[in-house]
Every structure is written in structure tokens, then in C-alpha cells.
Amino acid sequence: MIKRLAGFLRGSPQHPVGPDGRMALSDHLRELRARIIRSTLVVLLAFVIALYFYQDLYQLILDPYEQAKTQLPEGTQSEAVLNGVAAGLTFQLKLCGLAALIGSSPYWLYQIWAFIVPGLNPNERKWTRIFAAIAGPLFFAGVAIGYYVLPKALTVLIGFTPDDVTNLVEFTQFFSFISRMLLIFGIAFEIPLFVIMLNLAGVVSGKALGRYRPWIIIGTFVFAAVGTPSTDPFSMLFLAVPMLILFFAAEIIARMVDRARGKGEHSTDQWDDDEVSTL
């Protein structure tokens, strides 16, 4: 029984794996199921741990709001409230769930990368192990920057409240605002890694990234403007500038990978985007 459970969680292939990492579709699905189950169990474990540290997490979420209140224009008032009998319980579960998702991100991000690795050749797998190692810290860095920007964003939004009117901040909506802010910053920092992954898979080249660089810059600022829930330019810049730096780093790495494959800019077998492939 234990052996069967271990095999279920491992998702070991039941058919021979080719030298190039190719697997049968049923084995791919079996592996995907195992990785999803393992990631879910880790998130649940992190959720239980987060419940124990609920008060600390609550204070961590409350601090940006308290800082924002001290920076509000004179005459602007705001109070935090919870509406509903079960609102306190719902808020606690959501807060611990968000903490579990962020805290376990290195593991489930690794599972995403590990699922893709078998489809790459041995040399490319070395690159993916490096990228998988920095995926978690990058996600944490994005969340940290989002948390740093929060007080300023809250100050701007609450600052629109008219004088002599008290802005009652409903904490469930406030938490949704924070969740979106932190997750968007965290996920945005992962996008350059996925660009590199597409390069490793042969979908996009470093030369193509350089050619479309102006559009990438414009798209990054549009994404930052739409993604950040606040209306101030500071939040947008705090998201867009690090993303652009990471994109430029991704382009450099993609060009290095292309050269290592013999498909750099000076290679004779580099296909033009408008040329029909023999495949």
C-alpha cells in the first residue's frame, strides 16, 4: 500500500523514456498529476503553519494601511472594518492561504520547471536547473517590492476621499487589493524566466527579442499600468523598471543560448522569420 502510494506521488513513467527525454502521453499526464498532488500537499502544509502565525501575518498586512493613514492629507479620515458575522474567519483563511501560496512558491515553481525539463536535451536541462533555483527568490523579490509600494498606493487611493467623510476600508476588499498587488508583482518577475524557457524550447530566439524590444518596452509599461490596482505612477514604475531589467537580461541569456546552439546572429543556419522552414 505504501509502495503504491509512493509510486502514485512519484508519477514514475511506465513506458521507456527516449534519450531525448520524450515520454508517452499517459506518462506525461501521470507525472503532471503527481506534481499537482505534491504541490497541493505542500501548500496545505504551509497553510497549517500559516494558521499558527496568523497574528504576525495580520500585523504584516495591517502595517501598510497604518503607514498610509499617517500620510493622508489633513482632514481625510479612514477606518478599517469587517462586515458580516463570518467575515473574520473568512479573512483569516484567505490571509493564511495567500501566505501559504507565497511561502511554498519555490516548491511549486520548481515543479513547473521539472515538468518541462524532460522535454529538453541534457545541455538545456542544466540551464533549467539554474533558472529553477532562482525562480523562487525572484518571486519573493517581486512580492517584496509590491509590499514596499503598498503604503504609497493606499495613500493615493484613500487620499481621494472628500473632507469630513470617513473612508471605511472593508478588510475583505482590502485583502483582495493586497493579494492582487503582491501576486501581480511576484508573477511579473517570473515572466522573463518563461521567456528564457521559450528560447530553450526553440519557440523564440534572442535575435527576435532584440527586434521586438521597443514593443516589449511599451507592452511592459501597459502591463504595469493595467496590472497595478492603484492609479499612481510610482507603483507602475516600481513594477515596470525591474521587469525591463529582467527582460534585457533574458535577451542576453537567450542570445548566449543561441550562440551555444550554433544559431547566433552570425550563424549560416539562422532562419529568417519570413522564410519557410523545411519542416
Side-chain angles (χ1 to χ4, degrees):
M1 181 66 181
I2 297 178
K3 261 189 187 180
R4 189 172 179 182
L5 180 61
F8 183 75
L9 292 176
R10 235 185 349 253
S12 303
Q14 296 182 358
H15 302 86
V17 180
D20 56 353
R22 292 182 180 274
M23 298 170 61
L25 178 60
S26 59
D27 288 333
H28 267 298
L29 296 177
R30 192 174 292 107
E31 181 191 6
L32 177 62
R33 179 188 63 188
R35 293 191 183 280
I36 291 176
I37 292 175
R38 290 203 299 266
S39 298
T40 302
L41 291 175
V42 170
V43 172
L44 288 175
L45 177 61
F47 177 76
V48 173
I49 297 174
L51 286 173
Y52 181 78
F53 293 99
Y54 167 70
Q55 290 300 329
D56 296 321
L57 293 172
Y58 168 70
Q59 192 59 46
L60 196 65
I61 291 296
L62 186 63
D63 281 347
Y65 173 72
E66 294 293 339
Q67 292 180 37
K69 283 182 65 175
T70 62
Q71 300 170 8
L72 290 175
E74 187 176 353
T76 303
Q77 301 177 5
S78 178
E79 294 294 337
V81 298
L82 275 173
N83 292 326
V85 177
L89 175 61
T90 303
F91 172 74
Q92 181 173 349
L93 294 177
K94 287 183 177 180
L95 175 57
C96 293
L98 177 65
L101 194 64
I102 294 176
S104 61
S105 60
Y107 183 82
W108 53 261
L109 283 171
Y110 167 76
Q111 292 299 321
I112 294 176
W113 283 99
F115 178 71
I116 299 170
V117 165
L120 303 175
N121 62 49
N123 185 46
E124 291 168 341
R125 293 179 197 176
K126 296 177 183 178
W127 285 90
T128 57
R129 291 191 186 100
I130 297 174
F131 300 145
I134 64 176
L138 264 183
F139 188 84
F140 286 141
V143 170
I145 292 179
Y147 184 81
Y148 175 77
V149 174
L150 265 176
K152 182 63 179 176
L154 292 172
T155 301
V156 171
L157 293 175
I158 300 176
F160 284 105
T161 305
D163 293 343
D164 301 325
V165 175
T166 300
N167 188 319
L168 297 180
V169 177
E170 209 284 317
F171 235 61
T172 302
Q173 296 178 357
F174 173 70
F175 177 75
S176 298
F177 172 86
I178 290 181
S179 300
R180 179 182 170 188
M181 190 87 163
L182 298 184
L183 290 177
I184 283 177
F185 270 79
I187 293 172
F189 274 50
E190 298 296 323
I191 293 178
L193 280 180
F194 283 97
V195 170
I196 297 174
M197 181 186 71
L198 292 175
N199 173 255
L200 288 172
V203 177
V204 64
S205 67
K207 186 177 180 181
L209 291 175
R211 185 162 56 250
Y212 293 108
R213 191 184 303 127
W215 293 105
I216 291 175
I217 294 174
I218 295 174
T220 300
F221 276 99
V222 171
F223 171 82
V226 175
T228 50
S230 62
T231 57
D232 65 290
F234 302 103
S235 301
M236 180 188 71
L237 290 175
F238 270 106
L239 179 58
V241 172
M243 275 189 68
L244 287 176
I245 294 174
L246 292 172
F247 264 121
F248 295 151
E251 180 186 338
I252 293 173
I253 294 174
R255 289 179 182 271
M256 292 171 58
V257 173
D258 289 344
R259 290 193 185 98
R261 285 172 167 172
K263 295 181 180 179
E265 293 179 1
H266 305 292
S267 175
T268 57
D269 62 348
Q270 176 70 34
W271 289 99
D272 186 84
D273 287 346
D274 297 325
E275 186 174 354
V276 179
S277 169
T278 55
L279 297 178

